[in-house]
Amino acid sequence: MGGSENSKAMVVGHLADSIREISGLPECQNVCKKMYGNLIRRVKLLSPLFEELKDCDESLSDQQLQAFESLRVALDLTMILLKSVNHGSKLYQALRRNDAADKFQQITEKIEAALSDISYNKLEISEEVQEQIELVHAQFKRAKAQAEFADLQLDLDIAVAQKEKDPDPAILKRLSEKLHLRTINDLKKESSELHELVITSDGELGDSFEAVSSLLRKLKDCVLTDNPEVASYESEQVSIKHRSPVIPDDFRCPISLELMKDPVIVSTGQTYERSCIQKWLDAGHRTCPKTQQTLLHTALTPNYVLKSLIGLWCESNGVELPKKQGSCKTKKSGNSLSDCDRTAIKALLDKLTSNDIEQQRAAAGELRLLAKRNADNRVCIAEAGAIPLLVELLSSTDPRTQEHAVTALLNLSINESNKGTIVNAGAIPDIVDVLKNGSMEARENAAATLFSLSVLDENKVAIGAAGAIPALIKLLCEGTPRGKKDAATAIFNLCIYQGNKARAVKAGIVAALIRFMKDAGGGMVDEALAIMAILASHHEGRIAITQAEPIPILVEVIRTGSPRNRENAAAVLWSVCTGDFLQLKLAKEHGAVEALQGLSENGTDRAKRKAGSILELLQRIEGEDSMQNS
């Protein structure tokens, strides 16, 4: 009975905290404002139910606990969604508004489904509270049936503003009002948010970045035209104050410390000026100058996003971007299709269907490079019908052709609409097959492709059902450093879907994660803890983690880890210890009290909450021990 009461107190307490936290979120000032406000208002109305349940002594049936647990998961996802749509670039949020609307709809459905499973008449609550909850449930039901109306005017205005070189000022004015980008200060803030977004996303914004930066320039011109006195003041300020503006650190080459004109990315993910890193490589070095890590390969990938950002910064600070040196190699005409030469793509597609294995391999390799090069190419290649042909080549008996095909699909999947085309072409089972049986490079790129496709929730289910998770765990254990990272990222994303958590646990992931956590020099501690934190919220995951005896290493991470790792370790420790006297005792014996007190003083907000909850549990067993001893 005690276990059931503990479970009730835990779930009800968590729900009350979640609702309180969601209710206290700040107002939204972007295109998601209405959806954001409606969801918070409805969630807020659930508060009386859990405040009243906290104070009653009635225990809950397993069915009720399960319904409350589903609601807890839904509210945790709600918090993540609300925070994600209420910060950062407003233009980026506007371009991704339909994705956000879909997520709001999915969350509404999840909350409504959980509320449907709660038998209010069997709970010990007042009539008034029961009426209110039934009313809220009806609101969620109605919201589930009526998706938010699309703002067709906004969609049209964005499309026209993107497409036309000089859009009608009335359109830009409407956008400026709708997006709360009315003043120069608003636009400066938007510009810095965009810069921040690029840095934190490691430049993986795909097609969205060009669209956002182009719209930002047009809106800025529109606002300056409406406020000529600001424009003249700004230009005066540039000429007086910014003759030698401070170059942002992210725009400087780590080797020369000069403003980069041709930034390129090496295999460790660091960016350098092309000529500087090329000299370093030509001198025989095979490490990354900044991190000292061994380079897995010496290919240099152009960092187009950073290059565009540097261009924007130069433009707004009156700085002339240095021209590339004449000694730089010019691109081979066969490898650059920024003007989208459809005839050349058509010729490559003809070679893909050839019976000559050499031609197939060469064409797949060329498409792989073109799809990596830029956003236009990804659209052109898909529109030409390459995706089904590349999917067929995933079954090629030639390992190199298979590598090229899976990597070309990975590069094409950066474009959001191509993700659907790849899945509809039946690619998932074939990509999983490459993940199981391909060369190491092909397996790594298959894992990265599955991660890219799993961004869409419906694909998480299909990828898990196709048997990807055991194969990803195998790569996680035996891959190269890059392969392990790709596998970990894919597993993490897939395990957001509840059904895949059970698959990962059955496939033995927990033992591998514990090994990574114990090997601080292996470079996989962050990923292992992030995956473990997501598995710990699942019943089977919690049991498997507990059986792996994680307490000593969790306490050690809480004591000495990075802020994010300490937070994740506390979340896992909380799941393992809640309702389990033996684990609590073990945690206490391994010095958890001192480590958690430190975390509750200087951890992240979530880490502080988890630390506080575990300390409460530890105090409770301390009280029970002293009563038994007296």
Side-chain angles (χ1 to χ4, degrees):
M1 191 70 177
S4 167
E5 281 168 14
N6 279 342
S7 299
K8 178 208 161 185
M10 183 181 80
V11 174
V12 170
H14 187 112
L15 283 163
D17 289 346
S18 294
I19 292 165
R20 206 163 30 247
E21 208 176 333
I22 289 168
S23 303
L25 287 173
E27 190 182 346
C28 181
Q29 287 295 339
N30 62 35
V31 289
C32 298
K33 183 174 183 171
K34 188 180 172 193
M35 298 182 289
Y36 178 98
N38 284 343
L39 185 54
I40 288 182
R41 179 178 51 74
R42 291 178 196 128
V43 168
K44 222 185 253 190
L45 294 170
L46 294 170
S47 180
L49 171 63
F50 297 103
E51 292 301 333
E52 198 161 294
L53 281 174
K54 263 167 72 176
D55 298 331
C56 81
D57 299 327
E58 179 201 18
S59 59
L60 299 173
S61 67
D62 286 348
Q63 189 186 352
Q64 294 281 34
L65 276 174
Q66 204 173 343
F68 283 170
E69 179 62 20
S70 299
L71 183 59
R72 182 190 72 75
V73 171
L75 291 183
D76 284 351
L77 292 170
T78 301
M79 175 61 83
I80 293 165
L81 173 62
L82 291 169
K83 283 185 174 175
S84 74
V85 300
N86 195 24
H87 79 284
S89 162
K90 291 176 179 179
L91 283 166
Y92 184 70
Q93 293 287 9
L95 287 180
R96 308 213 22 119
R97 190 167 49 87
N98 290 335
D99 288 356
D102 288 345
K103 285 175 183 165
F104 272 100
Q105 190 64 13
Q106 286 160 17
I107 290 288
T108 298
E109 286 169 12
K110 280 185 168 69
I111 296 175
E112 193 281 323
L115 291 174
S116 294
D117 290 340
I118 299 170
S119 309
Y120 309 112
N121 54 349
K122 291 181 183 171
L123 294 172
E124 226 177 74
I125 53 174
S126 64
E127 220 173 289
E128 189 183 329
V129 167
Q130 185 173 329
E131 280 174 12
Q132 178 168 333
I133 298 305
E134 284 172 352
L135 186 67
V136 182
H137 186 189
Q139 286 183 13
F140 273 105
K141 204 176 277 186
R142 195 161 56 245
K144 184 181 84 164
Q146 299 172 349
E148 296 282 348
F149 289 112
D151 189 335
L152 298 176
Q153 183 67 60
L154 178 62
D155 288 346
L156 186 62
D157 286 348
I158 287 175
V160 172
Q162 279 180 269
K163 192 176 176 186
E164 292 184 8
K165 193 178 176 186
D166 296 304
D168 184 336
I171 290 173
L172 293 173
K173 196 131 176 74
R174 270 201 304 271
L175 280 175
S176 147
E177 287 296 320
K178 182 78 82 172
L179 301 176
H180 299 269
L181 294 171
R182 303 181 182 98
T183 66
I184 288 295
N185 281 341
D186 291 344
L187 290 159
K188 278 182 178 169
K189 189 179 177 200
E190 175 67 11
S191 185
S192 89
E193 292 285 12
L194 177 58
H195 179 211
E196 185 63 28
L197 178 67
V198 171
I199 302 308
T200 54
S201 65
D202 295 327
E204 295 293 326
L205 289 182
D207 305 345
S208 303
F209 173 75
E210 287 299 335
V212 174
S213 56
S214 165
L215 276 172
L216 183 57
R217 276 197 296 270
K218 290 169 185 173
L219 284 171
K220 189 176 180 187
D221 289 344
C222 172
V223 171
L224 287 173
T225 307
D226 281 356
N227 300 278
E229 69 289 349
V230 177
S232 61
Y233 173 75
E234 289 251 317
S235 59
E236 197 175 305
Q237 294 304 303
V238 168
S239 62
I240 296 168
K241 286 190 179 176
H242 300 301
R243 287 200 181 98
S244 302
V246 177
I247 300 168
D249 288 343
D250 298 310
F251 296 171
R252 293 177 184 272
C253 171
I255 298 173
S256 68
L257 300 180
E258 297 294 327
L259 181 68
M260 288 186 275
K261 53 188 176 287
D262 189 11
V264 292
I265 305 166
V266 297
S267 69
T268 58
Q270 297 294 327
T271 295
Y272 297 94
E273 173 60 38
R274 184 188 290 275
S275 58
C276 296
I277 192 68
Q278 195 59 61
K279 276 181 196 165
W280 171 267
L281 295 172
D282 291 346
H285 298 292
R286 285 298 173 268
T287 55
C288 171
K290 192 170 178 182
T291 66
Q292 298 305 309
Q293 289 173 275
T294 303
L295 295 170
L296 299 176
H297 55 77
T298 56
L300 303 176
T301 308
N303 192 336
Y304 293 115
V305 172
L306 186 60
K307 190 174 179 181
S308 296
L309 270 179
I310 291 171
L312 273 174
W313 178 85
C314 287
E315 190 184 311
S316 59
N317 285 278
V319 174
E320 189 177 344
L321 185 64
K323 298 284 183 286
K324 282 190 194 178
Q325 299 302 307
S327 61
C328 280
K329 293 176 186 174
T330 53
K331 285 183 186 172
K332 293 176 189 170
S333 58
N335 282 349
S336 174
L337 275 181
S338 54
D339 59 344
C340 225
D341 186 341
R342 284 168 175 76
T343 313
I345 291 178
K346 174 80 171 65
L348 289 172
L349 264 54
D350 289 342
K351 288 181 182 176
L352 280 189
T353 54
S354 155
N355 291 326
D356 182 335
I357 195 85
E358 297 284 337
Q359 284 205 347
Q360 275 190 346
R361 187 191 304 129
E366 189 78 3
L367 285 167
R368 165 187 179 168
L369 289 172
L370 287 172
K372 185 176 185 177
R373 202 72 88 226
N374 62 46
D376 285 346
N377 290 355
R378 292 191 275 278
V379 173
C380 293
I381 292 167
E383 283 178 353
I387 287 173
L389 301 178
L390 288 166
V391 170
E392 279 182 37
L393 288 183
L394 292 173
S395 311
S396 170
T397 51
D398 177 55
R400 196 72 185 133
T401 304
Q402 192 182 61
E403 269 171 34
H404 288 328
V406 78
T407 313
L409 289 170
L410 166 61
N411 296 335
L412 288 169
S413 74
I414 294 167
N415 177 295
E416 287 299 313
S417 60
N418 285 351
K419 286 179 173 44
T421 312
I422 292 168
V423 172
N424 292 338
I428 288 175
D430 290 329
I431 296 170
V432 172
D433 198 50
V434 173
L435 178 67
K436 289 176 179 174
N437 305 310
S439 67
M440 184 52 78
E441 186 187 340
R443 287 170 67 194
E444 289 171 358
N445 289 335
T449 310
L450 291 175
F451 164 68
S452 178
L453 297 176
S454 71
V455 168
L456 303 177
D457 283 346
E458 62 269 25
N459 293 345
K460 290 180 175 70
V461 183
I463 293 168
I469 288 174
L472 285 167
I473 293 170
K474 194 164 187 283
L475 181 61
L476 181 70
C477 294
E478 63 186 34
T480 64
R482 188 196 133 203
K484 287 178 178 177
K485 298 268 184 195
D486 285 336
T489 316
I491 291 166
F492 178 85
N493 218 32
L494 289 170
C495 285
I496 291 169
Y497 168 60
Q498 198 76 348
N500 285 337
K501 291 177 187 174
R503 289 190 174 108
V505 171
K506 284 193 183 85
I509 192 169
V510 172
L513 298 178
I514 294 284
R515 277 200 307 277
F516 286 135
M517 284 164 61
K518 288 178 177 173
D519 177 16
M524 289 295 292
V525 176
D526 300 8
E527 289 82 358
L529 271 164
I531 296 169
M532 193 170 276
I534 209 170
L535 293 177
S537 65
H538 187 272
H539 177 66
E540 289 173 40
R542 188 166 61 248
I543 291 170
I545 292 167
T546 304
Q547 288 169 347
E549 300 177 354
I551 299 283
I553 185 68
L554 289 173
V555 173
E556 182 56 30
V557 173
I558 291 169
R559 190 182 288 117
T560 62
S562 67
R564 177 53 56 88
N565 285 351
R566 294 173 80 202
E567 178 184 308
N568 282 330
V572 177
L573 187 65
W574 180 80
S575 291
V576 167
C577 287
T578 302
D580 192 324
F581 182 81
L582 181 61
Q583 297 304 317
L584 273 169
K585 215 163 179 191
L586 269 173
K588 190 182 170 195
E589 286 166 12
H590 282 92
V593 174
E594 186 193 348
L596 290 163
Q597 280 168 344
L599 187 60
S600 66
E601 287 165 17
N602 56 26
T604 64
D605 288 348
R606 178 170 174 253
K608 285 177 181 175
R609 284 199 305 278
K610 293 291 180 196
S613 300
I614 306 166
L615 283 168
E616 275 179 38
L617 294 172
L618 287 165
Q619 281 161 7
R620 221 175 286 167
I621 66 157
E622 219 169 82
E624 286 172 20
D625 281 353
S626 60
M627 280 172 69
Q628 284 168 7
N629 294 333
S630 60

